[in-house]
Amino acid sequence: MNFIATKLEGCFIIEPKIILDERGYFMESFNENTFQKGVNQQVHFVQDNQSFSSKGVLRGLHYQTGEHAQAKLVRVLQGEVLDVAVDIRPNSPTFGQYEAVVLSGENQRQFFVPRGFAHGFLVLSDTATFFYKCDNFYNKESEGGISYNDKTINIDWGFPTENLIISEKDKVQPNLENAKKAW
């Protein structure tokens, strides 16, 4: 596996080694020892989640606070998404900055989003199956979010905003400054 550091400390794009032959392909999608060495931290995943969405669905930006904060290892099994992590660590030099990466069933890339980041994705293909590992269990009381169109973050989703499909909850998320008060 190839671990590519991003401008956001702790976030990595992970490219697996894909072995192709006449039968198709084989790849190791996760190996705890390789992963921990690649991200240079101890992460123990305890929960797997999967979602299926259609083109234009935007999920996020979500995070968990306090003792329920979560690191995520995300990937796309089928389709293509623009995956986004936003640094919400108050004392970070990259606070409020984001990293975006295209993940697809074709490129097999993964994105590691450590604790202290908001996360979201936009489906670019007709449909997408999104899969992710979490290092902590979900806790509704610790759930938070930031508006996908926050002006200070200024995420370039590369998609017409009038065509986005967004949950009612995500339509009313606070901006980065108001969310910061909840931490």
Side-chain angles (χ1 to χ4, degrees):
M1 291 187 165
N2 184 25
F3 290 80
I4 303 165
T6 69
K7 67 183 177 193
L8 304 178
E9 184 180 345
C11 285
F12 290 87
I13 298 166
I14 304 165
E15 296 178 331
K17 179 181 178 185
I18 300 173
I19 301 165
L20 298 166
D21 66 20
E22 65 278 354
R23 300 169 295 170
Y25 74 86
F26 172 84
M27 67 176 225
E28 185 176 79
S29 62
F30 181 75
N31 176 303
E32 186 175 59
N33 292 333
T34 303
F35 177 79
Q36 290 181 359
K37 183 178 177 187
V39 300
N40 197 30
Q41 56 182 293
Q42 297 292 313
V43 181
H44 177 71
F45 294 109
V46 297
Q47 181 176 323
D48 285 353
N49 299 317
Q50 185 169 319
S51 68
F52 178 82
S53 305
S54 56
K55 187 173 192 164
V57 168
L58 192 150
R59 296 181 185 259
L61 301 160
H62 304 143
Y63 60 87
Q64 296 269 126
T65 60
E67 67 181 274
H68 299 288
Q70 293 179 322
K72 297 176 181 176
L73 178 60
V74 303
R75 62 189 289 226
V76 171
L77 303 176
Q78 168 274 318
E80 182 177 74
V81 308
L82 179 67
D83 198 76
V84 174
V86 178
D87 189 345
I88 59 171
R89 300 170 295 181
N91 298 319
S92 171
T94 56
F95 174 82
Q97 294 182 32
Y98 75 94
E99 184 75 37
V101 59
V102 173
L103 304 176
S104 70
E106 187 175 314
N107 71 22
Q108 296 292 336
R109 284 180 149 191
Q110 297 182 59
F111 192 33
F112 176 62
V113 182
R115 293 179 182 198
F117 288 79
H119 173 260
F121 67 90
L122 169 67
V123 178
L124 303 173
S125 53
D126 288 339
T127 62
T129 303
F130 190 83
F131 178 85
Y132 60 104
K133 296 179 163 304
C134 299
D135 78 333
N136 207 350
F137 297 105
Y138 171 78
N139 179 278
K140 184 163 181 52
E141 290 73 39
S142 299
E143 178 179 50
I146 300 169
S147 177
Y148 70 95
N149 61 357
D150 179 276
K151 300 291 186 227
T152 58
I153 302 170
N154 198 28
I155 298 170
D156 179 7
W157 293 100
F159 198 85
T161 54
E162 64 273 7
N163 294 340
L164 294 175
I165 303 166
I166 304 169
S167 72
E168 291 305 313
K169 177 179 92 171
D170 287 345
K171 286 180 183 177
V172 297
Q173 294 289 6
N175 64 24
L176 178 64
E177 194 55 41
N178 287 329
K180 186 178 179 181
K181 295 173 187 173
W183 304 324

